[in-house]
Amino acid sequence: MLITAESAPPARRPTSRTVQLDVRTNSLNLIRLALALLVLVAHGFYLSGAGTGPSFQGENLGGWAVFGFFTISGYLITASRFANPLGRYLVLRVTRIYPAFVVCLLVTAGVFAPIAWAAEGRDWSGFLTTPTTPPAYVLEDLALRINAYDVAGTPSAVPYPGAWNGSLWTLYFEFLCYLLVGLLVSLPIVRRHPWLLGLAFAVSVLAWATADAWGPGAYADLVLLARLLPAFLGGALVHVAIRGRPLRTPVALAAITLAATLVVTVDHWGAQLASPLITYALLWLSTVLPSPPVARRHDISYGVYIYAFPVQQLLVYAGAHRLGLVGYDVLAALATAAVAVVSWRLVERPALRWARHRFPSAARVSVSTDRVVQQRSGRIPASPREDAGEQAQGVRP
């Protein structure tokens, strides 16, 4: 199945030099899980007191993993926007990111922070009188923009004090990217000429390339958005470029080579310029990398991403960092994965099912209507896939 929701002429039979991105068999969930674990490993250096860890071109492993997240997200989210009206698109986006985020805030404030408070042997009479009380922590961060990192002064007796979750800050900027793409694709001229997203990508790269000239007084959020937006729009551009076309192995290998060259030779903005190439390479990798069926059906990467940091901090309180960096990271990965499974089963997947049921796709409504009409006439159509427009684009909203 090609990644398109539109009618396309019959494609030539795939060869060993072409691969097709099938929503049911790709390894994007596995790749995103690997990126989330890479963020965990990067943070493990800081949180265990083992230094800052390796970096490349001024960015640590976690920063590169986040960049990869944004490129894949740009591709998938743009596909979702073209397949859905703006209202349904926004509902799906909010449902995917917000319920689990809010629960994570509540668990951090109501479970993790009290455990740390008790571990530090503090007097409970002061737990709700600190500047950042548990309710204040939740309320200050509720709008996705992270303003509070500690809860009641915890964590403090750790190598990296004052922060329960150093990963959540990216969600605010990812949601801003959702809104931007949602609005851009709402423009009739962009729907008629999707390649205009390429112009938006070029402007975003130029903005980041000239960010040093903005001066020290530049709004910090604007600088961070300028750094991440090209990755997202690079993914969006790839969606426009390959709709209805198979992925080609020679093109993927060339993309990897050229992306590496740009990252190494172009200081500051080489990765941003290479983001469409990185996206294409990751999509191609998702077609050739085997993935167990359980990973294709269940996406715990988001849960791993949002819970890894606080779980790692709790493990430091338990002394797990004394096992050495490898032992600490392995234990943290296992514990985080367990929490992420619970998040997926009890929060994320039920929320998505509710949204899909409450706001069905136009394709699904059309199919249901056709089934009723044809049943009355004695003809039963073949059973289609749910949300065909999104599934055909490789999107799991």
Side-chain angles (χ1 to χ4, degrees), residues 321 323-332:
H321 60 302
L323 298 174
L325 187 59
V326 174
Y328 170 68
D329 284 347
V330 170
L331 188 59

Side-chain angles (χ1 to χ4, degrees), residues 115-138:
I115 291 174
W117 184 276
E120 294 176 12
R122 299 196 197 186
D123 184 351
W124 285 102
S125 63
F127 186 62
L128 295 177
T129 60
T130 57
T132 310
T133 62
Y137 168 80
V138 174

Side-chain angles (χ1 to χ4, degrees), residues 348-370:
E348 299 166 53
R349 187 169 64 173
L352 288 171
R353 285 178 171 172
W354 173 86
R356 291 185 186 128
H357 177 74
R358 182 66 179 79
F359 300 90
S361 67
R364 187 180 177 189
V365 171
S366 176
V367 163
S368 298
T369 303
D370 291 345

Side-chain angles (χ1 to χ4, degrees), residues 178-190:
Y178 292 173
L179 294 177
L180 178 61
V181 166
L183 293 174
L184 284 175
V185 178
S186 294
L187 299 174
I189 190 172
V190 174

Side-chain angles (χ1 to χ4, degrees), residues 55-71:
S55 64
F56 178 68
Q57 293 294 79
E59 194 68 78
N60 67 11
L61 298 176
W64 285 108
V66 167
F67 195 87
F69 266 126
F70 269 70
T71 61

Side-chain angles (χ1 to χ4, degrees), residues 40-78:
L40 180 153
V41 170
H43 287 159
F45 288 93
Y46 297 87
L47 300 181
S48 67
T52 59
S55 64
F56 178 68
Q57 293 294 79
E59 194 68 78
N60 67 11
L61 298 176
W64 285 108
V66 167
F67 195 87
F69 266 126
F70 269 70
T71 61
I72 295 173
S73 185
Y75 169 82
L76 294 175
I77 298 312
T78 303

